[in-house]
């Protein structure tokens, strides 16, 4: 037997509701006007329709059907609203509204069949359990250091937003109550609704920024930091308000002390116990079922203790999440294990249930416009409280306005509070409906406005050429390398060693370890301390760090390494990479190919997310870009310095700016005493007198002239008749080299005719794709794209200025420079 508060319709409340003909359950009203549901205790699973049993009279089939309908309706609404640039929360709430009394549920037969009142308790209990896990995840993703030690501008914005959005709507509330005659229930709940306007939930803002893909932008970081500090104030104030609502002073003090005791229990007992137990976790694979049990048990204990001491069940899991370290390995692993069930089923279920309770036919116009005035006043105040400090902090006016929109975002935090007040009787169903509609309306308005007003920079335009070809011979070569895992290191280190760091032209390596943002919401960029000692190899990052340190020690005085870790979502990772490359003035950015090769030469796997990152970098990189296809495992080459044989490098030259960049890099590698470079130029039979071909000949001749006497630099020409001949010539070379350099794009030529029709990886270009598709190859491949001159257009492949370079001129300036628009000698003089 279960007790539920009666519905607002007296006629409906006093009616008897029966189940099937065998009276599995019925409802009646007790002496205190509460709905009493009586049903058999064994109505768990159905016997099946073949035994004339209605599955919807039983708990499990009904719950499964409800969750299925909730999932489908929310996803359909989310998909339909996506072209309108609406956030996911709008579709999930709207899906519930369409299923509730405002839509299909208006028909009583549908409501009694799909969402009968007797199932409310079970469905809400399921959603409540999801809310417990969601609160834990929300706390786990929050960076507690940003809450405790915020920067000045986020702290000022957070304080202003919270204080003003609390006091001004409260003042408007009391003015309305004093001058307008309103429903007594509305007048009683209006101060609560006014105080809720001060909520600026971190998780709501983080989800919005992630959906809009602006979490990594300057405005996104400022919004996250401001919300975190505002949340810290809000959590404390909400705990005090709920404690004060207990009534007497004794109850208030008891509630405060119980909250303090809960904090001590979670932080000083549960947290150390969990950290001690999961000490050996380094990645997802080391997180066992026993670890999962301990974490889940701790979450449930914290929620249970919260209820025991009189606090809300979500407070304990939230504190526990804040107490545990965010990010990898622990935070990321826990979130990966929990995210599917939370965000796939439980989180949408809670939002949809809020929509199920929404009955727009109950709303009175007075409720809407009064609550609208409160919401409007809070919105204006939040704009002012955000924009004034932001503009004072040198944020552009348009960006400050967008920041104000972000700080006005509404979502699950408000719905949690409103549902809690509804359950406690502080909000009637009518007020709950009005608040849900206000949350929905704010979300519908804010998301498209942010999309229209804020356009993060899509391109990173440097003020100078950032290539190897245009780098002065006696200047530092800046190479930025991106690492996804330690498997990328052997071939990447070999490329760095082959780059020939010398006293005249040292090499500066900017190493960036790329980590997917899991287990925390705020992106993270960490610089490693410049220590020369090798670290114990207890984690993946230590393996990578040690490899870079070993390279630096082997080239001491000629090479430097600056190592960073960048943690962000794959969708936004390219923005961070491009910004770092621009700030560090890298000449070339080298990233790993998304496919991996096993020892036997077969493809072992790949990541489409990494491939998407590489494709975005090709469009937006501010410098030259190289995609390294790593086959070091197949040829057994681990290090050039430790090898007794010569490292064989081939440069394939067909024509174009990208091939010119590959040639410049290959010519530099020939400086290394353990590297032999062969430049192979492919010529089309009977077509070698074009103007572009003459420019290329002049360029190659200068590199050959600069390497006179260098036995490790060789040049040969291959004449082929068509694309078939080119493919056969390339494949015959693959087993003779350790590394092949090739440009991504080439000028139009009959040599490439027909090869692009079978292209599997367009990001590698025609020749690069041909090399990568050869399963028996032993050579690693570096596909190079030279820096694009403009962010709005591609380089013109036959532009003579593309062949401007910096190699030693022997015997003075050549007359062939008259063909070029600009030339630079070895000292950098134009």
């Amino acid at each position: 037997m279960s007790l539920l508060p009666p519905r607002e319709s007296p006629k409906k409340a006093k009616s008897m509701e029966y189940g099937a003909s065998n009276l599995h359950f019925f409802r009646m009203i007790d002496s205190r006007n509460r709905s009493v549901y009586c049903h058999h205790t064994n109505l768990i699973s159905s016997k099946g329709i073949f035994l004339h049993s209605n599955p919807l009279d039983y708990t499990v089939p009904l719950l499964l059907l409800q969750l299925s309908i909730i999932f489908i309706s929310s996803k359909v609404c989310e998909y339909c609203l996506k072209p309108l640039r609406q956030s996911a929360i709008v579709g999930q709430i709207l899906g519930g509204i369409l299923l509730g009394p405002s839509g299909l549920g208006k028909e009583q037969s549908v409501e009694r069949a799909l969402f009968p009142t007797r199932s409310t308790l079970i469905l809400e209990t399921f959603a409540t359990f999801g809310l417990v896990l969601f609160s834990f995840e929300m706390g786990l993703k929050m960076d507690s250091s940003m809450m405790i030690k915020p920067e000045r501008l986020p702290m000022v914005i957070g304080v202003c937003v919270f204080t003003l959005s609390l006091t001004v709507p409260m003042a408007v509330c009391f003015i309305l109550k004093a001058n307008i005659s309103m429903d007594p229930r509305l007048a009683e709940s209006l101060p609560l609704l006014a105080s809720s306007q001060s909520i600026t939930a971190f998780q709501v803002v983080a989800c919005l920024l992630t959906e809009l893909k602006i979490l990594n932008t300057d405005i996104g970081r400022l919004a996250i930091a401001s919300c975190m500090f505002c949340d810290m104030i809000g959590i404390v104030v909400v705990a005090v308000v709920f404690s004060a609502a207990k009534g007497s002073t004794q109850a208030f003090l008891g509630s405060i002390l119980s909250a303090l005791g809960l904090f001590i229990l979670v932080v000083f007992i549960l947290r150390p116990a969990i950290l001690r137990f999961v000490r050996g976790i380094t990645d997802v694979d080391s997180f066992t079922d026993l670890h999962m049990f301990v974490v889940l048990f701790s979450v449930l204990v914290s929620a249970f203790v919260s209820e025991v001491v009189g606090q809300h069940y979500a407070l304990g899991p939230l504190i526990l999440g804040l107490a545990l370290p965010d990010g990898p390995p622990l935070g990321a692993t826990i979130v990966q294990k929990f995210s599917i069930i939370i965000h796939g089923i439980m989180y949408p279920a809670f939002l949809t249930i809020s929509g199920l309770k929404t009955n727009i036919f109950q709303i009175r116009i007075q409720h809407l416009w009064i609550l609208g005035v409160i919401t409007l006043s809070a919105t204006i105040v939040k704009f002012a409280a955000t924009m004034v400090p932001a503009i004072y902090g040198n944020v552009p006016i348009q960006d400050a306005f967008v920041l104000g929109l972000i700080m006005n975002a509404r979502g699950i935090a408000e719905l949690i509070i409103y549902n809690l007040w509804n359950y406690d009787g502080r909000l009637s169903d009518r007020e709950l409906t009005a608040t849900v509609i206000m949350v929905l309306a704010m979300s519908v308005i804010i998301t498209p406005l942010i999309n229209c007003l804020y356009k993060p920079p899509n391109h990173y335009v440097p003020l100078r050429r950032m290539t190897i070809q245009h780098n002065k011979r006696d200047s530092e070569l800046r190479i930025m390398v991106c690492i996804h895992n330690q498997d990328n290191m052997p071939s990447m280190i070999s490329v760095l060693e082959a780059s020939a760091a010398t006293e005249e032209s040292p090499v500066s390596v900017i190493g960036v370890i790329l980590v997917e943002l899991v287990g925390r919401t705020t992106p993270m960029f960490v610089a490693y301390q410049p220590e020369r000692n090798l670290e114990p190899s207890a984690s993946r990052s230590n393996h990578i760090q040690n490899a870079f340190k070993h390279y630096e020690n082997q080239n001491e005085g000629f090479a430097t390494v600056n190592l960073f870790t960048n943690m962000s979502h794959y969708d936004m990772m390219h923005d961070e990479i491009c910004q770092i490359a621009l700030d560090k003035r890298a000449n070339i950015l080298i990233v790993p190919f998304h496919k991996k090769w096993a020892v036997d030469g077969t493809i072992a796997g790949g990541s489409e997310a990494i491939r998407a990152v590489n494709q975005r970098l090709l469009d937006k990189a501010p410098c030259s870009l190289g995609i390294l296809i790593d086959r070091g495992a197949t040829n057994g080459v681990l290090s050039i310095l430790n090898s007794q044989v010569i490292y064989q490098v081939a440069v394939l030259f067909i024509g174009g700016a990208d091939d010119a960049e590959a040639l410049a890099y290959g010519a530099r590698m020939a400086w290394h005493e353990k590297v032999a470079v062969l430049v192979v130029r492919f010529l089309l039979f009977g077509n070698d007198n074009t103007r572009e071909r003459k420019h290329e000949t002049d360029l190659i001749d200068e590199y050959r002239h600069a390497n006179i006497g260098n036995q490790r630099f060789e040049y040969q020409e291959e004449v082929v008749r068509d694309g078939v001949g080119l493919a056969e010539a390339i494949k015959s070379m693959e087993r003779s080299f350790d590394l092949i350099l090739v440009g991504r794009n080439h000028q139009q030529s009959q040599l490439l005719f027909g090869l692009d029709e079978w292209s599997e990886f367009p990001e590698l270009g025609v020749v690069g794709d041909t090399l990568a598709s050869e399963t028996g190859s032993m050579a690693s491949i570096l596909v190079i794209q030279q820096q694009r001159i403009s962010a709005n257009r591609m380089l013109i492949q036959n532009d003579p200025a593309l062949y401007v370079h910096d190699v030693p001129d022997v015997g003075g300036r050549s007359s062939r420079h008259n063909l070029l628009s600009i030339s630079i000698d070895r000292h950098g003089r134009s």
Side-chain angles (χ1 to χ4, degrees):
M1 182 170 61
S2 60
L3 299 177
L4 290 174
R7 296 177 180 265
E8 291 194 4
S9 175
K11 294 181 180 179
K12 191 172 182 180
K14 292 181 180 180
S15 64
M16 298 286 278
E17 180 184 350
Y18 295 92
S21 59
N22 54 357
L23 296 179
H24 282 166
F25 61 89
F26 66 92
R27 182 180 68 154
M28 62 183 182
I29 304 300
D30 68 356
S31 59
R32 289 185 291 177
N33 198 31
R34 294 184 301 180
S35 298
V36 180
Y37 285 87
C38 300
H39 52 84
H40 291 290
T41 57
N42 60 349
L43 296 180
I44 305 299
S45 58
S46 172
K47 298 178 182 179
I49 58 175
F50 299 107
L51 297 179
H52 306 289
S53 176
N54 184 3
L56 299 185
D57 288 341
Y58 297 83
T59 303
V60 173
L62 181 59
L63 179 62
L64 295 176
L65 178 63
Q66 290 172 336
L67 293 177
S68 302
I69 294 174
I70 287 173
F71 180 78
I72 293 174
S73 63
S74 61
K75 288 299 179 183
V76 168
C77 291
E78 182 180 342
Y79 178 79
C80 293
L81 294 174
K82 193 172 183 179
L84 301 178
R85 298 182 177 181
Q86 294 297 333
S87 60
I89 190 174
V90 174
Q92 290 161 352
I93 296 176
L94 188 60
I97 292 177
L98 294 178
L99 293 175
S102 302
L104 294 176
K106 186 179 180 182
E107 183 65 34
Q108 291 190 2
S109 59
V110 176
E111 180 188 14
R112 290 178 179 176
L114 299 181
F115 295 97
T117 308
R118 60 185 172 84
S119 68
T120 302
L121 189 62
I122 297 174
L123 188 59
E124 290 191 358
T125 301
F126 178 86
T128 296
F129 183 71
L131 184 58
V132 168
L133 296 178
F134 179 81
S135 300
F136 171 67
E137 185 195 40
M138 181 173 64
L140 189 63
K141 287 184 175 182
M142 295 176 71
D143 189 349
S144 55
S145 62
M146 294 179 65
M147 301 175 68
I148 301 173
K149 297 179 181 179
E151 295 182 359
R152 182 178 180 182
L153 183 57
M155 182 177 65
V156 172
I157 293 176
V159 171
C160 292
V161 167
F162 183 82
T163 54
L164 293 179
S165 61
L166 177 64
T167 55
V168 173
M170 286 294 289
V172 174
C173 162
F174 289 119
I175 291 174
L176 291 175
K177 289 181 66 176
N179 295 278
I180 297 176
S181 177
M182 63 181 71
D183 186 287
R185 288 296 302 273
L186 178 61
E188 182 182 349
S189 60
L190 201 58
L192 290 175
L193 297 176
S195 64
S196 69
Q197 303 302 315
S198 62
I199 299 175
T200 307
F202 153 80
Q203 193 64 23
V204 173
V205 172
C207 291
L208 176 63
L209 296 177
T210 302
E211 285 189 30
L212 297 177
K213 298 182 180 179
I214 58 175
L215 184 61
N216 285 18
T217 62
D218 293 337
I219 202 72
R221 294 188 185 95
L222 180 57
I224 285 293
S226 303
C227 285
M228 279 193 176
F229 189 75
C230 190
D231 250 7
M232 184 190 70
I233 304 174
I235 290 172
V236 174
V237 172
V238 167
V240 172
V241 169
F242 272 92
S243 300
K246 301 293 182 180
S248 64
T249 304
Q250 183 178 1
F252 171 73
L253 293 176
S255 183
I256 293 294
L257 292 176
S258 66
L260 182 61
L262 175 64
F263 178 82
I264 294 174
L265 172 68
V266 171
V267 175
F268 296 101
I269 297 179
L270 286 180
R271 179 181 182 272
I274 294 176
L275 293 181
R276 181 181 295 273
F277 186 78
V278 300
R279 184 180 299 171
I281 293 179
T282 57
D283 51 26
V284 177
D285 294 334
S286 59
F287 193 83
T288 64
D289 292 340
L290 184 59
H291 292 130
M292 173 67 79
F293 168 78
V294 171
V295 172
L296 185 59
F297 175 76
S298 301
V299 173
L300 297 178
V301 167
S302 63
F304 173 73
V305 174
S306 299
E307 286 290 310
V308 170
V309 298
Q311 299 296 326
H312 190 259
Y313 56 80
L315 182 60
L318 178 64
I319 297 175
L320 180 60
L322 284 169
L324 294 178
D326 60 344
L330 180 60
T333 304
I334 294 175
V335 170
Q336 281 184 328
K337 296 288 187 179
F338 279 65
S339 60
I340 296 179
I341 188 171
I342 294 176
H343 296 281
I345 299 178
M346 293 184 171
Y347 175 67
F350 179 83
L351 294 175
T352 308
I353 288 172
S354 298
L356 285 170
K357 296 180 180 179
T358 303
N359 188 354
I360 61 176
F361 301 106
Q362 286 185 339
I363 299 179
R364 296 177 182 175
I365 299 299
Q366 186 188 54
H367 287 69
L368 276 182
W369 78 258
I370 290 178
L371 189 55
V373 170
I374 297 290
T375 305
L376 180 62
S377 64
T379 302
I380 295 174
V381 166
K382 280 190 177 182
F383 266 111
T386 302
M387 291 185 64
V388 173
I391 294 174
Y392 182 77
N394 297 323
V395 177
I397 295 179
Q398 184 172 345
D399 288 357
F401 183 79
V402 173
L403 182 61
L405 286 172
I406 295 172
M407 298 297 284
N408 272 289
R410 310 293 170 91
I412 188 171
E414 289 80 7
L415 294 178
I416 291 173
I417 298 295
Y418 297 148
N419 278 277
L420 179 63
W421 286 340
N422 175 254
Y423 182 77
D424 290 342
R426 295 187 176 96
L427 284 184
S428 66
D429 290 346
R430 187 174 287 115
E431 281 85 40
L432 178 63
T433 298
T435 56
V436 171
I437 289 179
M438 287 299 167
V439 170
L440 189 63
M442 290 294 292
S443 300
V444 167
I445 295 172
I446 286 175
T447 306
L449 279 179
I450 297 175
N451 264 313
C452 294
L453 296 177
Y454 187 69
K455 301 295 182 183
N458 291 324
H459 300 277
Y460 301 84
V461 184
L463 300 178
R464 56 185 290 271
R465 294 305 300 264
M466 296 168 60
T467 68
I468 298 176
Q469 183 186 359
H470 299 83
N471 194 46
K472 299 176 184 179
R473 179 181 174 88
D474 56 354
S475 64
E476 183 181 58
L477 177 65
R478 296 171 179 262
I479 304 176
M480 179 175 169
V481 296
C482 294
I483 305 297
H484 291 282
N485 54 65
Q486 62 191 31
D487 296 336
N488 304 142
M489 289 305 299
S491 290
M492 194 70 75
I493 291 295
S494 293
V495 172
L496 293 178
E497 289 176 348
S499 299
T502 64
E503 184 178 3
E504 180 187 12
S505 179
V507 173
S508 175
V509 178
I510 304 103
V512 182
I513 303 174
L514 302 177
V515 182
E516 184 183 7
L517 183 60
V518 180
R520 59 181 290 140
T521 304
T522 53
M524 183 176 68
F525 185 75
V526 178
Y528 285 85
Q529 296 299 324
E531 299 175 355
R532 295 298 182 90
N533 297 327
L534 298 181
E535 299 291 337
S537 300
S539 66
R540 180 190 68 171
S541 61
N542 282 344
H543 284 294
I544 298 172
Q545 187 177 1
N546 288 340
F548 279 115
K549 285 183 179 180
H550 184 265
Y551 164 77
E552 186 177 20
N553 292 339
Q554 292 289 334
N555 295 273
E556 189 171 4
F558 307 139
T560 58
V561 175
N562 295 305
L563 189 58
F564 306 91
T565 291
N566 175 41
M567 185 183 298
S568 61
H569 294 288
Y570 277 128
D571 289 342
M572 296 169 279
M573 193 173 284
H574 63 282
D575 287 325
E576 294 284 350
I577 297 172
C578 291
Q579 190 61 56
I580 298 169
L582 185 62
D583 293 342
K584 299 296 182 180
R585 302 191 304 277
N587 298 105
I588 187 170
L589 164 65
I590 302 177
V591 297
F593 190 52
H594 69 282
K595 292 284 187 180
K596 296 180 182 180
W597 270 260
V599 177
D600 59 357
T602 59
I603 295 178
S607 170
E608 288 300 318
I610 295 177
R611 183 184 186 184
V613 173
N614 293 346
Q615 290 171 336
R616 296 187 190 101
L617 288 173
L618 287 169
D619 293 333
K620 302 180 181 181
C623 60
S624 295
L625 176 70
I627 299 179
L628 180 61
I629 303 170
D630 181 9
R631 283 178 172 151
T634 63
N635 57 26
V637 176
L638 297 179
S639 173
I640 296 176
L641 295 176
N642 298 329
S643 177
Q644 300 298 321
V645 297
I646 298 297
Y647 190 73
Q648 301 291 334
V649 177
V651 179
L652 307 186
F653 192 97
I654 297 175
D658 295 348
D659 278 353
E661 185 75 359
L663 175 62
Y665 200 8
R668 181 186 175 95
M669 289 182 176
W671 302 354
H672 199 291
E673 60 183 7
K674 291 188 177 182
V675 176
V677 177
L678 173 64
V679 178
V680 182
R681 183 185 185 187
F682 293 96
L683 299 173
L684 180 64
F685 180 78
N687 185 22
D688 58 351
N689 295 319
T690 63
R691 183 179 179 183
E692 293 79 12
R693 189 68 69 189
K694 181 172 178 56
H695 289 319
E696 294 165 1
T697 301
D698 293 341
L699 178 69
I700 294 173
D701 286 348
E702 290 201 12
Y703 279 109
R704 293 177 66 187
H705 200 157
N707 283 278
I708 290 178
N710 185 356
Q711 301 296 322
R712 298 182 305 276
F713 183 89
E714 298 181 5
Y715 171 77
Q716 73 178 42
E717 294 181 349
E718 292 281 345
V719 180
V720 294
R721 295 181 177 272
D722 50 25
V724 176
L726 176 64
E728 291 177 351
I730 290 174
K731 291 181 180 180
S732 65
M733 301 168 53
E734 290 181 318
R735 292 185 177 273
S736 303
F737 297 93
D738 300 302
L739 177 66
I740 298 177
L741 306 182
V742 62
R744 176 175 179 253
N745 294 314
H746 312 277
Q747 59 191 17
Q748 294 295 329
S749 173
Q750 294 182 12
L751 287 175
L752 307 175
F753 181 76
L755 294 181
D756 56 347
E757 296 180 1
W758 305 98
S759 179
E760 183 180 1
F761 308 112
E763 64 269 25
L764 300 179
V766 176
V767 179
D769 178 77
T770 302
L771 291 167
S773 300
E774 183 64 28
T775 57
S777 175
M778 305 292 289
S780 295
I781 305 159
L782 183 60
V783 180
I784 298 177
Q785 173 182 279
Q786 192 178 65
Q787 175 205 17
R788 299 317 189 197
I789 288 178
S790 172
N792 298 321
R793 64 182 178 90
M794 302 291 285
L795 285 177
I796 303 174
Q797 295 295 327
N798 59 359
D799 187 351
L802 300 181
Y803 304 108
V804 178
H805 55 286
D806 186 75
V807 297
D809 291 331
V810 181
R813 184 181 300 275
S814 172
S815 62
R816 57 177 168 266
H817 285 149
N818 295 329
L819 297 173
L820 307 181
S821 61
I822 185 173
S823 182
I824 302 175
D825 65 17
R826 61 180 170 182
H827 301 292
R829 296 189 296 266
S830 59

